[in-house]
Amino acid sequence: MKLKNLPIGQSSFENLIKGDMLYVDKTEIIYRMITNAQFYFLSRPRRFGKSLLISTLEEIFKGNKELFKDLWIYKADYNWEEYPVVIIDFNHVLSDNHIMLQEGITKLLVDVANAHGLQLEENVYKYAFVELIKKLSEKYSKQVVLLIDEYDKPIITHLGKGDEGIRLAEKNRDILKNFYGTIKAASVIENLRFVLLTGVSKFSKAGVFSELNNLSDITMHDRYASILGITEEELAHYFDEYIKLQCNYLEIDEEEVRLKIREYYNGYRFSETDLKVYNPFSLIKFFDESKFRNYWFESGTPTFLVNLIKERNYYIPQAESFSADETTFSSYELDNLDITALLFQTGYLTIKDYDRDFGTYVLGYPNVEVKYSFLRHLYKDRVPDEDNKYKRLVELLAKGNLDEFISVMSSIFAGITYDEGSRINEANFHTLFYVTLAAGGLPARSQVLNYSGRIDMVVEVKDKVYIFEFKCNQSADKAIEQIRQKKYYEGFTSSAKEIYLVGINFDMEKRNIAQYKWEIVA
């Protein structure tokens, strides 16, 4: 059986189908979207297939039914009526400053008009947009379909570049706010059949979305949770033969291949419904290269996000299990950027659990690819991986060799570079300890809730559980005493694993481990 070609880097639906490439059929969900409402907004992390969705919608609304011959929508009761389609892709609009952005939008609108044999008289971007929609509708006696890809790129491109970057982002935001505001004008709405905006972020309140209150936000809607990404069922249906090929190539059994794929690339959840999806970019790249690598992460990390985390001294261990409410997901403002919201919207955190009674979400890393590569990248200049010491730490804990483990950890801390005048406290030490373990692939969990308090850190390796308590300028004995008094170990006694209690005292002046003590629970 000949397998379909893998759609590496392909975002054109027409090219994908004509090139006999694999397409995971999302047309049933798309059908639901285009027949239920008129104006939509969808936010997803980069490389999740937003551009392919735009392209698929374009072909549907152009009435190109035969491209969908083997897909769900082909046999549905959809009326394949042809509409004029306007695509605005901000990946191709220069936005170095607000003047270039205005000119770029205007040029794009003129190009669309020329392609349809129309001439625009307006030269101001927002008025030219209104004119284009009206003239297209009049020419074809049809309403217009408007598809906007990466609507927020002219804003987020400038974040993390200091005060000047923020000023540029604010000016571009105002340009976009005026531009998108025309979509809800009565004279425009009557000429629109369908509208979809996609992007990474959602600027709410006084931002862009104050002018887009007629959009239906399906970003966290249960019915659209799998419109992008690949579900477990889709993996089994479309990729079964590809997985079998990997078994032969990697010389491991099918169960292990599926487990590793799930650990590396699954885990993204975008709604209250417990439906997880795989990162499509990383999954396709894995099947193409037959290697478990950090494909999505390596394709580009937002510099502004890393800069903000460092500038704000964001407490990274909390990302392991962060409790949030609904307001967290709508607090993306230039003058008060919420780092947790940013981490969620950019795909570094995802929904791990949802409590319907209290309306609270638990956020965490979606998978191995994101967690370990993100932490290594974030602290690569602070925690260098010399002589493969990360891997050594894993081996030592697996063997229960704590004395050597502390020796290696101390040598890592000795090599950490600090900014001049940087302040070191228990939280900073805790963060660096956590990052060092987690970046090495250890399943370190920070601030683990216990009935009598919060455990500083728990690490489970094979048949062992390590409970860490940290102190600064105190004593390792005091740390062990706290573990004993609060009985942090009781939640693990039923696991039949060997439980190690580890107390560590950190010397803030020497910036290293000053004392440690460990014992095994009898």
Side-chain angles (χ1 to χ4, degrees):
M1 170 179 159
K2 182 180 181 298
L3 297 181
K4 286 184 175 292
N5 299 319
L6 293 169
I8 305 296
Q10 186 58 255
S11 59
S12 165
F13 180 79
E14 181 183 13
N15 291 346
L16 189 150
I17 296 300
K18 290 183 176 179
D20 194 32
M21 299 180 195
L22 178 67
Y23 175 71
V24 176
D25 190 355
K26 299 290 185 178
T27 60
E28 184 175 0
I29 305 177
I30 292 173
Y31 171 86
R32 184 188 308 147
M33 179 169 66
I34 63 180
T35 56
N36 279 354
Q38 186 179 4
F39 301 95
Y40 289 96
F41 169 75
L42 175 65
S43 170
R44 282 292 185 272
R46 60 188 170 81
R47 298 287 194 171
F48 250 83
K50 297 188 294 295
S51 296
L52 178 59
L53 173 62
I54 292 285
S55 179
T56 306
L57 287 165
E58 177 188 14
E59 299 302 337
I60 290 174
F61 282 116
K62 283 184 174 179
N64 293 328
K65 182 177 180 180
E66 291 308 307
L67 285 177
F68 297 82
K69 190 172 182 179
D70 298 320
L71 303 178
W72 183 93
I73 197 172
Y74 189 82
K75 297 179 180 179
D77 60 352
Y78 179 70
N79 179 10
W80 291 86
E81 189 173 356
E82 185 178 356
Y83 296 90
V85 178
V86 174
I87 296 180
I88 298 176
D89 185 352
F90 278 98
N91 284 306
H92 305 302
V93 177
L94 295 177
S95 59
D96 292 354
N97 56 61
H98 69 287
I99 300 297
M100 292 180 69
L101 177 58
Q102 292 180 69
E103 292 176 346
I105 294 173
T106 302
K107 182 181 184 305
L108 190 149
L109 297 174
V110 169
D111 289 345
V112 172
N114 291 340
H116 289 271
L118 299 173
Q119 186 171 353
L120 299 182
E121 297 175 5
E122 298 287 353
N123 53 20
V124 177
Y125 68 101
K126 61 182 296 184
Y127 302 128
F129 176 64
V130 174
E131 183 186 2
L132 174 65
I133 298 299
K134 286 183 178 180
K135 285 188 172 180
L136 280 172
S137 183
E138 289 171 0
K139 176 172 181 175
Y140 296 102
S141 298
K142 292 284 183 68
Q143 291 177 304
V144 176
V145 171
L146 176 61
L147 306 173
I148 301 178
D149 201 9
E150 303 295 352
Y151 90 102
D152 53 349
K153 187 163 186 181
I155 303 173
I156 62 176
T157 295
H158 298 289
L159 299 183
K161 297 180 180 179
D163 293 339
E164 179 61 26
I166 289 292
R167 284 193 290 272
L168 287 171
E170 289 174 339
K171 289 180 179 180
N172 284 353
R173 177 196 61 191
D174 294 339
I175 297 297
L176 295 177
K177 183 178 177 180
N178 289 329
F179 179 64
Y180 297 136
T182 60
I183 296 174
K184 70 176 184 179
S187 60
V188 175
I189 286 179
E190 65 184 13
N191 292 309
L192 291 174
R193 159 64 178 87
F194 181 87
V195 176
L196 172 66
L197 275 73
T198 75
V200 172
S201 59
K202 179 180 177 180
F203 290 90
S204 56
K205 296 178 183 176
V208 174
F209 270 75
S210 63
E211 297 297 325
L212 289 173
N213 52 17
N214 57 331
L215 290 181
S216 175
D217 185 357
I218 59 173
T219 298
M220 298 180 68
H221 198 298
D222 288 346
R223 288 203 300 268
Y224 298 100
S226 63
I227 193 168
L228 298 179
I230 296 169
T231 67
E232 195 70 53
E233 292 74 19
E234 289 168 339
L235 180 74
H237 179 75
Y238 290 96
F239 294 92
D240 187 60
E241 294 301 319
Y242 297 90
I243 290 174
K244 289 176 181 176
L245 283 177
Q246 300 307 314
C247 295
N248 296 330
Y249 185 84
L250 299 172
E251 298 182 344
I252 53 179
D253 62 48
E254 187 172 334
E255 183 178 353
E256 187 175 352
V257 170
R258 290 182 183 275
L259 178 61
K260 289 196 73 173
I261 292 174
R262 191 175 301 119
E263 288 177 343
Y264 264 78
Y265 308 123
N266 195 19
Y268 293 90
R269 175 178 169 183
F270 299 107
S271 70
E272 296 172 8
T273 300
D274 188 11
L275 176 65
K276 297 180 177 65
V277 295
Y278 288 81
N279 182 316
F281 176 79
S282 291
L283 196 63
I284 295 297
K285 290 287 286 183
F286 163 73
F287 286 120
D288 181 54
E289 297 189 13
S290 301
K291 295 178 181 178
F292 288 99
R293 291 181 54 195
N294 304 322
Y295 300 106
W296 176 78
F297 186 87
E298 291 172 356
S299 69
T301 303
T303 302
F304 81 89
L305 183 57
V306 173
N307 290 343
L308 280 172
I309 287 172
K310 292 180 177 180
E311 287 172 10
R312 304 272 187 89
N313 200 24
Y314 184 78
Y315 186 54
I316 283 294
Q318 70 181 328
E320 192 75 40
S321 182
F322 187 92
S323 182
D325 60 25
E326 201 171 273
T327 61
T328 301
F329 307 109
S330 59
S331 56
Y332 195 108
E333 299 304 323
L334 289 177
D335 55 355
N336 186 29
L337 289 170
D338 185 295
I339 292 178
T340 302
L342 280 169
L343 287 168
F344 174 75
Q345 292 175 350
T346 51
Y348 294 94
L349 294 182
T350 195
I351 299 170
K352 306 296 285 188
D353 196 11
Y354 176 71
D355 189 323
R356 293 185 181 276
D357 293 332
F358 296 96
T360 56
Y361 300 83
V362 175
L363 306 181
Y365 299 107
N367 51 45
V368 168
E369 174 185 30
V370 173
K371 177 180 177 179
Y372 300 147
S373 54
F374 176 58
L375 292 174
R376 284 193 180 191
H377 180 83
L378 185 62
Y379 284 88
K380 64 183 178 181
D381 57 336
R382 300 282 294 276
V383 188
D385 185 13
E386 297 174 357
D387 303 322
N388 210 8
K389 289 179 180 177
Y390 288 135
K391 185 178 179 181
R392 180 72 175 141
L393 292 174
V394 178
E395 295 171 350
L396 291 170
L397 285 186
K399 294 176 181 178
N401 190 342
L402 270 167
D403 293 329
E404 185 64 22
F405 168 82
I406 294 295
S407 176
V408 173
M409 185 64 83
S410 296
S411 70
I412 291 174
F413 273 94
I416 292 176
T417 59
Y418 295 92
D419 298 330
E420 186 177 352
S422 59
R423 294 164 57 188
I424 299 299
N425 54 32
E426 186 174 325
N428 291 336
F429 167 62
H430 188 162
T431 297
L432 289 170
F433 200 96
Y434 162 80
V435 168
T436 303
L437 294 183
L442 282 165
R445 291 184 292 138
S446 183
Q447 296 295 304
V448 179
L449 189 62
N450 174 273
Y451 70 89
S452 60
R454 288 185 181 272
I455 307 171
D456 277 350
M457 191 172 296
V458 175
V459 180
E460 296 187 54
V461 185
K462 294 185 177 180
D463 59 346
K464 298 175 178 61
V465 177
Y466 293 90
I467 298 173
F468 289 92
E469 182 66 29
F470 304 118
K471 298 295 178 185
C472 281
N473 290 349
Q474 297 184 57
S475 71
D477 285 325
K478 189 172 182 179
I480 288 287
E481 182 183 347
Q482 181 173 325
I483 297 174
R484 284 288 187 183
Q485 283 184 347
K486 296 197 174 186
K487 299 181 179 179
Y488 288 156
Y489 51 84
E490 284 196 341
F492 303 92
T493 52
S494 60
S495 67
K497 292 185 177 183
E498 199 168 29
I499 302 173
Y500 289 73
L501 312 183
V502 186
I504 297 178
N505 182 45
F506 187 73
D507 188 312
M508 288 189 285
E509 184 177 345
K510 295 181 179 179
R511 297 177 173 181
N512 211 323
I513 296 171
Q515 183 188 23
Y516 71 96
K517 183 175 182 179
W518 62 273
E519 57 187 62
I520 300 175
V521 175

